[in-house]
Amino acid sequence: MTSTAAGAGQQSAGGATREAAAAKQAGAEAEAERKGALDGGAPKMDARASASVPGGGSEAGSKGSEDQTPRADSPAGARAAATKKGAAAQEDAEPACPSGEDTLLQRSEALWAAFYTDELEGLVGKPFGGRTAKIMRSAKREHRTDMSARGWDKYGHHKRWEKVRATLKERNLDNVRRIHGDCYSLERFRKEFELPAQPCLIHGLADAWPARTEWGLKRLREDFGERKFKCGEDDEGYAIKVKLKHFLRYMNSDNEDGAKLDDSPLYIFDSHFDDDRISKQLLQEYRVPHLFQEDLFRHVGERRRPPYRWILIGSERSGSGVHDDPLGTSAWNTLVRGHKLWTLFPPDVPRSVVKGRSLVDWKNEDDEPVDWNEFILPRILEKGGPELRSKMIQFIQKPGETVFVPSDWWHAVLNLDTTVAVTQNFCSTGNFDRVWRQTRTGRRKMARTWRRTLQLERDDLAKRAYELDKMDNFDLDQEIEAADERRRRRKIAKKEAKKRKRQQQHKQHKLAKKSDPSDGNEADDDQDDNDGSAKDAKSTGSSSGSSDSESADGSGSGSESGSGDESDDNDDNKTKNNNNN
Ligand SMILES: O=C(O)CCC(=O)C(=O)O
């Protein structure tokens, strides 16, 4: 076991860390809360809540009649309903906040440290090696073709991780606004956070989720171990999938192929929640919080809409590189296990500044999330000075907490320990303008379908879309025609280039034959054909040299580019990405 793992294990086994000892009282409180969550202390989701689980298609506020009172199926809504008689005015329907909200929410710095437990310690399973190691090596090779599968520890992050984690904790600004979900109706939340696009950390939204008790690694392995989850992407953007049981063995291993030594471990980031029994089961175990029920992409249809919900399982040092979310959508992200360090910058900070690629010493460094947090961000801040620093929001998310990321905010996330989370992206009335403007250029044909269905279901928004187009002098139908024409021309140009290449090769062969008449046979023609087939073989991305039916599955079945009807030249077609986007 590495020193990193041992450190985490001690915290877990001993039930106390140095910091926790220093804040004994606070730590005890935290431990009690943690135990409550892990031992089944969290209440089960009530029947009404489970009736509108994510897969259930329930959506408040559809057809333009946004429900302005707290939802009756939220804890706050239930309380409000119980205490209010008759039709109370909407303003009056704001629920009472939990007592001592401020002190409860502004937890001491030492408190979160007490939460460090390494669930992996309790995960007794088959040892990592042989076939599993081979599968994971293959996944690594496909995910990082620029690196050898055995070179994932070359920057030695694991050796200094405890120190780095402590430094990150000290450096953490902890300046996010914290609220309690019970204190907010959708209307109030929209006014205070969605419309002004202000990030926040929300407590209490997941208290009734079965996931809080059920999404321990042991149970996930027992029930879903045989299911494949996406843990990376190959160079062409196709999903790399492995069975959960293999991934968990990888996470739990400190041998040369294991995640405990990897600088930036593979990260499960899976959006395929739609069709199989397991997805359905997972969908039953959380619910879309009452603040995020409006889901306007729903009108595009389940098959056609862009990917929008992901389950995330990652080791310490894995994470998400700095990015903004696709098509101007906002996101909520609820952590079920572990701790995540979040860093956010507002949309007005340029991409090149937040990425900081010019500040990387490429010979000796990488730009994975762990590198960005450890070295690149301090350089970005040094260069950007106090003005940039004042724009940054940074905090540590703990189990049960939900982060709201408004449209177009840059965000980077580093997993500080073993984490399990769920996240969904959405378009609502609150961010519709931004999403429409990006969808009409990023997913033109889908935008046209969407506008058409909105006309039936939310005519106010269909009208708003036309209004925005008029304002910006944008003609969607014309754009689609122009894009089709561009695509047609590109196709022709490609075909012609291929033809020219073939003719040239043919000429060369002929010349060669002339100068050496003995060297002419059918193999020459085969040569031409091989060009194409070699390329096909590469693009299937199958794991090399493995006869394993369970080798990392880069077959492309998991491509997440949505409908596939338009491969527009826009970044926004890309999905949310782990690691480096
Ligand atoms: O790794 C994470 O939890 C962050 C996920 C994220 O940034 C995203 O889904 O856009």
Side-chain angles (χ1 to χ4, degrees):
M1 185 168 287
T2 64
S3 56
T4 304
Q10 277 158 17
Q11 286 170 3
S12 168
T17 62
R18 268 202 310 281
E19 291 98 322
K24 208 171 171 187
Q25 216 172 336
E29 198 187 318
E31 185 63 8
E33 191 177 321
R34 185 185 70 77
K35 272 215 170 88
L38 295 181
D39 299 347
K44 290 275 177 199
M45 193 154 61
D46 62 32
R48 190 199 291 261
S50 59
S52 74
V53 290
S58 151
E59 181 197 59
S62 62
K63 302 197 180 182
S65 57
E66 195 79 69
D67 184 5
Q68 307 291 15
T69 58
R71 291 183 56 81
D73 53 2
S74 77
R79 258 202 306 284
T83 52
K84 303 261 171 219
K85 284 196 182 121
Q90 283 176 356
E91 298 304 320
D92 292 338
E94 288 298 349
C97 296
S99 60
E101 184 198 6
D102 288 346
T103 44
L104 171 82
L105 300 182
Q106 296 299 333
R107 288 184 178 160
S108 78
E109 171 73 358
L111 245 173
W112 70 264
F115 278 79
Y116 273 122
T117 57
D118 195 342
E119 279 219 37
L120 292 167
E121 295 297 314
L123 195 73
V124 184
K126 277 195 202 159
F128 182 67
R131 188 154 155 271
T132 309
K134 196 168 156 191
I135 288 166
M136 294 311 298
R137 271 201 307 277
S138 164
K140 285 182 179 184
R141 259 196 303 271
E142 285 182 57
H143 184 63
R144 289 288 302 262
T145 47
D146 60 325
M147 266 179 13
S148 131
R150 286 269 161 89
W152 279 45
D153 60 349
K154 73 175 173 187
Y155 298 109
H157 276 289
H158 71 277
K159 291 186 196 141
R160 51 179 196 278
W161 174 239
E162 286 302 343
K163 224 169 158 180
V164 168
R165 183 160 62 181
T167 314
L168 291 173
K169 194 187 81 180
E170 272 159 31
R171 228 193 262 154
N172 166 28
L173 275 179
D174 197 17
N175 61 347
V176 70
R177 256 192 83 185
R178 286 181 163 80
I179 61 170
H180 199 290
D182 282 5
C183 308
Y184 282 77
S185 64
L186 195 143
E187 186 195 31
R188 180 177 173 201
F189 183 78
R190 181 157 294 164
K191 202 161 102 193
E192 290 183 28
F193 292 97
E194 253 202 287
L195 288 169
Q198 284 307 309
C200 63
L201 185 66
I202 313 168
H203 292 244
L205 294 179
D207 288 353
W209 289 7
R212 289 294 309 278
T213 54
E214 299 298 316
W215 288 11
L217 298 182
K218 202 160 166 266
R219 184 270 173 160
L220 290 176
R221 190 194 58 200
E222 274 161 18
D223 286 2
F224 312 126
E226 294 298 322
R227 202 255 204 192
K228 284 185 177 178
F229 286 83
K230 177 181 167 183
C231 66
E233 275 178 13
D234 69 14
D235 288 348
E236 278 151 37
Y238 288 111
I240 299 165
K241 293 177 169 189
V242 297
K243 285 188 176 174
L244 184 62
K245 66 179 185 187
H246 296 308
F247 191 83
L248 293 177
R249 274 179 221 148
Y250 157 74
M251 278 175 93
N252 200 16
S253 171
D254 58 2
N255 87 9
E256 59 187 341
D257 297 310
K260 287 185 177 178
L261 298 195
D262 285 351
D263 292 321
S264 177
L266 288 167
Y267 187 16
I268 285 187
F269 213 110
D270 191 284
S271 72
H272 285 262
F273 263 149
D274 311 327
D275 31 28
D276 60 314
R277 183 187 56 78
I278 287 168
S279 303
K280 289 199 175 102
Q281 171 85 36
L282 287 169
L283 288 170
Q284 294 294 322
E285 293 175 352
Y286 76 94
R287 71 175 301 264
V288 177
H290 68 287
L291 304 177
F292 307 115
Q293 290 270 318
E294 201 187 16
D295 172 21
L296 295 170
F297 272 135
R298 186 180 69 97
H299 301 296
V300 179
E302 200 60 28
R303 275 169 47 85
R304 196 120 195 259
R305 66 180 301 175
Y308 66 107
R309 49 191 181 197
W310 290 260
I311 183 165
L312 318 176
I313 304 175
S315 307
E316 54 193 13
R317 294 189 301 281
S318 63
S320 300
V322 66
H323 66 284
D324 57 349
D325 279 348
L327 302 175
T329 51
S330 304
W332 58 267
N333 180 315
T334 301
L335 188 56
V336 177
R337 290 286 198 276
H339 298 78
K340 287 175 184 278
L341 173 65
W342 286 77
T343 308
L344 288 89
F345 286 100
D348 67 331
V349 178
R351 172 185 291 266
S352 58
V353 171
V354 292
K355 294 265 177 191
R357 291 177 67 82
S358 63
L359 305 173
V360 182
D361 169 8
W362 290 105
K363 270 204 183 120
N364 303 304
E365 292 171 359
D366 211 338
D367 70 339
E368 292 287 302
V370 65
D371 305 286
W372 189 86
N373 278 279
E374 187 180 347
F375 339 105
I376 306 171
L377 179 60
R379 291 173 201 155
I380 292 171
L381 293 173
E382 198 184 326
K383 197 170 171 203
E387 198 196 331
L388 184 67
R389 196 174 286 266
S390 72
K391 291 182 175 183
M392 180 171 82
I393 293 179
Q394 204 177 42
F395 57 93
I396 287 164
Q397 179 191 23
K398 297 183 283 295
E401 297 177 347
T402 300
V403 177
F404 167 60
V405 184
S407 298
D408 296 330
W409 273 73
W410 300 108
H411 51 289
V413 179
L414 183 65
N415 291 319
L416 296 175
D417 50 9
T418 305
T419 63
V420 180
V422 62
T423 180
Q424 287 200 192
N425 277 53
F426 62 91
C427 171
S428 66
T429 312
N431 64 7
F432 181 77
D433 288 6
R434 280 175 184 268
V435 177
W436 174 254
R437 282 192 162 111
Q438 294 184 41
T439 306
R440 74 186 182 188
T441 51
R443 296 288 300 273
R444 287 175 279 258
K445 285 184 181 166
M446 189 190 79
R448 187 168 58 185
T449 309
W450 190 28
R451 195 176 57 189
R452 210 167 33 229
T453 52
L454 282 175
Q455 256 164 350
L456 301 173
E457 312 258 358
R458 287 290 304 264
D459 192 37
D460 57 326
L461 292 177
K463 281 195 178 116
R464 178 67 187 158
Y466 278 112
E467 217 173 272
L468 289 169
D469 291 351
K470 199 165 168 201
M471 226 188 285
D472 305 337
N473 208 6
F474 186 95
D475 184 328
L476 182 56
D477 293 323
Q478 229 172 55
E479 291 288 329
I480 289 172
E481 261 178 48
D484 282 348
E485 180 59 23
R486 276 199 301 276
R487 196 169 303 119
R488 204 178 59 82
R489 284 203 189 136
R490 265 202 305 265
K491 225 170 155 182
I492 293 172
K494 230 170 150 180
K495 237 181 172 173
E496 280 173 355
K498 228 173 163 181
K499 200 171 148 190
R500 271 198 304 277
K501 196 176 159 198
R502 241 190 231 131
Q503 282 169 345
Q504 222 169 20
Q505 280 174 339
H506 194 65
K507 237 188 208 165
Q508 277 166 0
H509 287 314
K510 264 189 166 168
L511 279 173
K513 245 199 294 186
K514 246 188 196 167
S515 59
D516 182 5
S518 65
D519 182 31
N521 55 40
E522 286 161 26
D524 286 336
D525 291 330
D526 289 342
Q527 200 70 38
D528 274 348
D529 290 344
N530 278 347
D531 255 7
S533 60
K535 202 164 163 218
D536 280 350
K538 185 166 177 274
S539 69
T540 59
S542 63
S543 54
S544 56
S546 171
S547 58
D548 241 325
S549 59
E550 285 174 27
S551 57
D553 174 5
S555 63
S557 60
S559 171
E560 295 186 357
S561 55
S563 67
D565 63 348
E566 35 189 341
S567 56
D568 300 333
D569 343 298
N570 194 304
D571 238 13
D572 287 328
N573 276 334
K574 290 186 186 140
T575 55
K576 289 220 266 196
N577 229 341
N578 52 341
N579 297 334
N580 261 333
N581 54 1

